[in-house]
Amino acid sequence: MVERRPLLTFTQHAVLIVGAAIFVFPIYLAFVASTHTGTEVNRGLPLLPGDQMQENYAIVLGEGLSTAGAPPIGLMLMNSTIMALAITLGKLAISLLSSFAIVYFKFPFRVLAFWTIFITLMLPVEVRILPTYEVVAQLGMLNSYAGLSIPLIASATATFLFRQFFMTVPDELTEAARIDGAGPMKFFRDILVPLSRTNIAALFVILFIYGWNQYLWPLLVTTDESYYTVVMGIQRLANSGDQLPQWNLIMATAILALLPPVIVIIVMQRLFVRGLVEVEK
Amino acid sequence: MRTKKVTFRHRWLPYALVAPQIVITLVFFIWPASQALYQSVLRQDAFGLRTEFVGLANFARLFADPLYLESFFTTVWFSALVAGSSMLVALVLAVMADRVIRQATTYRTLLIWPYAVAPAIAGVLWWFLFNPTIGILAYALEALGYDWNHYQDGTDAMTMIVIAAAWRQVAYNFLFFLAGLQAIPKSLTEAAAIDGAGPVKRFVTIQLPLLSPTVFFLIVVNVVYAFFETFGIVHATTAGGPGNDTVILVYKVWRDAFEGLNLGSSAAQSVILMAIVIALTAIQFRYIERRVEY
Amino acid sequence: MSDISLRDVRKVYSGAEAPTIPGLSLEIVSGELCVLVGPSGCGKSTLLRMVAGLEEVSDGEIAIAGRRVNDLEPAERDISMVFQNYALYPHMTVFNNMAYGLKNRGMPKDEIRRRVDEAAVMLGLDGFLARRPRELSGGQRQRVAMGRAIVREPAAFLFDEPLSNLDAKLRVKTRVEIRDLQQRLRTTSIYVTHDQQEAMTLADKLVVMNAGQIEQIGTPIEVYERPASLFVAGFIGSPPMNLLPPSAVPSLAPASAPEHALIGIRPESMVPADDGPIALDVRVVERLGATSTIHGRLPGLESDVIASVPSTVPADPGRTMRFSSPGDGVHLFDGRTGRRLG
């Protein structure tokens, strides 16, 4: 910084540390709640972790909350993982292919294809809930992994990002590859995709979080509990009718539901930040 | 729109390459959206037997419906609060983190992870903390003499969902503010310091004006977030209550479609939402174009 | 060993008013290094890229080793190319950069290994085969690009300004290496450059191009000694040839010279002589060490006349110096057509 002002520096650190603490606070309390018995939590939340952690997590993972009519969280976590990975990999695959076509080929309807993809930006699930539901129902995709993931894998953002990146790949590389006898798909596989791997990794982080955190969509297309995802399923536990909510178990579920994307974001922070800033460019 | 100067030639390959994305877009985006447009000008009778064309009547009814207007203003108020509070907190934190250059990355790690938490989960966490009987925050507020109850008090409920929505979004705003601040050349602040401007004055006269594009961009992004991505918070916690005090538009369109089974009205609501997204996206793109010209 | 022949080759870009190359023929003999030189935009790169198959030929015919290649893919033309920015695959090792084209041809692994190793030794790249391009210096990258061309053992090498990304010192060194390599391999080569010095030093056959057309073909010495046009006279040689109206130096103009003729004298042909017919008012003297370059004015002329003289010749600004020129140092051009006279 320009000048040295110890008091100012101290204030900065204080503000940042307090800020960070406030952000961790809800998670910490959720964790505390998840380590006590239900009775203890309902009596008034202790501020330190208890000794029921193993029991509580074993219950939610293995048995689920029978009273809430929800399956074990283990199954929901698996469903969430399948959905998040299917959405992420699907988006990456079709976006890589379509941006390759749009950038590296001149063909009739190219601009039309671009605008068709572009328009998906303006049509989030939230604005076309019922008709999309009807389409999925007619295709018999309700209560299936396909129904959970395929309708969400069209992505204008990923396509734009790849298009932007492809435009920066030097033309000479393409020419060198042509002289080296590589056709379009070989060039795509041997050169373009390997060159894009940082972008792919960055998008992977963003899309995985996006996929994992889907709420409205699984709510629409699943009625069969065995296809519930954990982010969507948690409301079933929280709103368990007349029963008193079993807060210790709900919080254990919440911790399990937020852990995977949080771990991804922390471990791959650099890629995430880069990807986010690129996507919004 | 540009392609590469060097392109491949192939009769059918490019079509095969765009096909998966185009097919999914047509089936799950374009077709449902046009269905929504189509249904928004129809009305079904109570038994779903007869459908008639009613023109803009569905829209007219919506705008005459006090519940819809209330929901509209609830949403506007909600997004203003979410955008305002999360941006303000994020800006303060970013300015602090920008000044402590060496540890900026550490603080970034500590501050960005809430972005990974799903809105619905964030809602449930805060719902628990504010629970009138066992929630620690409700308890603390009671000690301060405030009787918190988001089951009965609409303001309390709104406050809770705003906090839950903003808590998660601060991380995002923080990232962009920090990036924006770090993009301001150090020589500018140094020159201002030599000119005798203290840290506060420098922030107001140098950094804030240069940050205004980021501010503008984030306003749009935050409004989009509050409008369209917070369904989970409301659905998993207040379910629109108490009364209709937290019925945001996205929640209403879902409820009218799946619980009220009012197709025409739900479709008309979808169309209005579409118009809002398109307007916001257009603003965002104009802004991006302008930034490109710099 | 194979020759390359271009017959009435034309290039018109769609939407362009004038053709980039209005029609051009050129024969390159087997084993020869042919340099295409000219200012930027003269069409030399376009021509090279048409030979490579990277640009479509609008009209005419290109044949490599007697085989018409107009409709062949670049990979099928049995050529290899060294690009200006090298175009190395950044994510591949040096070995894989060189091997990629061979792998795509389905060559057996041990044969690929043998060829790459051989080329690496020849180029001093053994020991770098496991590195990636970004871990190499500019000169090393340039040699990897050369290696990629060599391992293919093609009918022809195509060089597109391969030295322009190197600094001046390395450029001279690499120039010598390229010449040496080409002489050893005797592979027919086309080399594009805008640098006339590079062109002079490398070429077996020098092709000077301007505005999509060939101004002159010849050995470097032929082109230097008998420039066929005003353009060539000005482009080849540094500093450029002085071009003077006969009236400025009446005693040097042949009696037969028409009124619109121009007299060309290279700075190197300006010989200091006390009774010489050219009297220069010296303005600036640039001392280069072995030689000095004198910029001076002839009475009545707007532009400088330049003379290159040994540095032992005394020269100072403000003085008047007299020069003569031996008979074979005087060139005569038609000022209207730009062609050489006699």
Side-chain angles (χ1 to χ4, degrees), chain B residues 75-177:
Chain B
T75 312
V76 171
W77 181 225
F78 172 69
S79 29
L81 286 174
V82 170
S85 60
S86 66
M87 283 175 68
L88 195 66
V89 173
L91 183 59
V92 170
L93 292 171
V95 169
M96 298 297 161
D98 180 47
R99 290 183 53 97
V100 293
I101 306 148
R102 241 172 303 156
Q103 297 90 352
T105 329
T106 315
Y107 285 118
R108 196 177 69 184
T109 312
L110 287 174
L111 289 168
I112 64 165
W113 60 269
Y115 178 74
V117 178
I121 303 289
V124 171
L125 290 179
W126 288 97
W127 195 44
F128 169 62
L129 297 178
F130 277 120
N131 185 289
T133 43
I134 61 153
I136 197 158
L137 291 176
Y139 183 79
L141 285 169
E142 201 181 313
L144 293 172
Y146 184 84
D147 186 17
W148 176 278
N149 192 337
H150 57 246
Y151 290 104
Q152 278 156 23
D153 187 321
T155 312
D156 288 357
M158 176 59 95
T159 309
M160 186 190 70
I161 61 168
V162 166
I163 289 176
W167 173 71
R168 182 184 173 273
Q169 197 64 7
V170 166
Y172 182 93
N173 295 340
F174 171 78
L175 264 182
F176 277 86
F177 277 134

Side-chain angles (χ1 to χ4, degrees), chain B residues 173-192:
Chain B
N173 295 340
F174 171 78
L175 264 182
F176 277 86
F177 277 134
L178 186 60
L181 284 169
Q182 292 185 334
I184 297 175
K186 278 279 160 290
S187 54
L188 277 185
T189 36
E190 283 164 2

Side-chain angles (χ1 to χ4, degrees), chain A residues 40-55:
Chain A
E40 277 170 331
V41 174
N42 283 338
R43 225 189 291 139
L45 184 63
L47 286 174
L48 291 173
D51 54 4
Q52 298 295 305
M53 182 169 166
Q54 273 191 332
E55 288 81 349

Side-chain angles (χ1 to χ4, degrees), chain B residues 22 53 78 90 96-97 100 105 141 145 191 205 216 241 261 269-270 277:
Chain B
I22 296 294
F53 177 79
F78 172 69
M96 298 297 161
V100 293
T105 329
L141 285 169
T205 56
F216 182 71
L261 295 174
Q269 292 182 38
S270 287
V277 191

Side-chain angles (χ1 to χ4, degrees), chain A residues 92-110:
Chain A
L92 286 173
I94 67 171
S95 305
L96 274 168
L97 291 175
S98 59
S99 41
F100 176 53
I102 284 171
V103 173
Y104 279 96
F105 290 86
K106 289 192 179 98
F107 58 99
F109 307 118
R110 190 177 71 90

